[in-house]
Amino acid sequence: MGLDMYLNKKTYIGGNYDFNGIKGSIKLTKKGFNPETKEVIEKMPIKVNLKRVTYIEEELCYWRKSNQIHAWFVDNCQDGVDDCKPYYVDIEQIKELLSLCEAVTKEKDPSLLPSRGGFFFGSTDADEYYYDDIKRTSRELRKIIREYEEYEFSIFYESSW
């Protein structure tokens, strides 16, 4: 039990593709979707009708009890409503959070990204775990920004507690 947090990527790929005989690798670019060999898809442990696939969803980042990060998402992306539903996050918000994380690390000032208590949300101390979460978040957000610059996708934050 506790605060679990997810930043997910949802990429629209359209639908009604004819995958028969097309070879290559799955790659999403601004130019569109290039499917992998049908043989590989057929070996998947689940059956998927690729003609009906319109989105691909991936987990970009996962946190556990990083209540300072959660508080930021609730305040800045969820209009203050902490209800465990997915919320859209735009790339400018990702950049804003990255900037805050970098400032907290550089200035050693946890008041820039304060902790928030809650039901099994973990410690609210600005201890080594707090700063480790901030540093890891910075690394992950930089990756997301680089990936977004290559091709656009939608980002959603969701928590569970």
Side-chain angles (χ1 to χ4, degrees):
M1 201 93 212
L3 176 63
D4 292 299
M5 307 144 55
Y6 308 87
L7 202 57
N8 294 321
K9 166 183 156 181
K10 191 172 181 181
T11 307
Y12 178 74
I13 61 168
N16 299 318
Y17 289 102
D18 179 6
F19 291 86
N20 292 325
I22 298 176
K23 296 186 178 189
S25 61
I26 291 177
K27 188 171 185 179
L28 295 165
T29 67
K30 286 185 178 179
K31 295 179 181 178
F33 179 67
N34 300 314
E36 189 169 12
T37 315
K38 186 178 178 189
E39 300 165 31
V40 174
I41 301 297
E42 289 174 344
K43 291 179 185 176
M44 290 172 43
I46 58 171
K47 294 297 176 194
V48 176
N49 182 339
L50 295 174
K51 291 182 179 180
R52 295 188 302 213
V53 174
T54 55
Y55 289 94
I56 294 177
E57 189 166 351
E58 303 170 64
E59 185 177 288
L60 293 171
C61 192
Y62 167 80
W63 298 266
R64 177 127 175 97
K65 298 185 180 185
S66 297
N67 58 65
Q68 72 279 24
I69 303 299
H70 176 67
W72 186 90
F73 279 110
V74 169
D75 293 344
N76 293 278
C77 303
Q78 297 179 213
D79 294 323
V81 179
D82 191 359
D83 59 3
C84 298
K85 294 180 182 176
Y87 284 86
Y88 176 77
V89 181
D90 69 39
I91 196 66
E92 294 309 314
Q93 290 169 311
I94 295 293
K95 290 176 181 178
E96 181 184 332
L97 178 55
L98 173 59
S99 179
L100 268 174
C101 288
E102 289 174 338
V104 168
T105 302
K106 182 179 179 181
E107 299 171 25
K108 299 285 188 230
D109 184 359
S111 70
L112 298 171
L113 204 52
S115 294
R116 182 174 299 161
F119 187 65
F120 293 114
F121 275 28
S123 173
T124 56
D125 296 337
D127 55 15
E128 66 181 284
Y129 299 108
Y130 170 93
Y131 285 102
D132 287 346
D133 283 343
I134 297 292
K135 290 174 189 173
R136 186 176 74 78
T137 300
S138 293
R139 284 191 306 272
E140 295 302 321
L141 294 180
R142 279 190 215 97
K143 289 178 193 175
I144 292 167
I145 292 166
R146 280 193 304 271
E147 190 172 337
Y148 188 88
E149 289 170 353
E150 184 179 334
Y151 58 92
E152 294 179 18
F153 47 83
S154 297
I155 303 168
F156 291 88
Y157 174 76
E158 187 171 3
S159 61
S160 173
W161 40 267

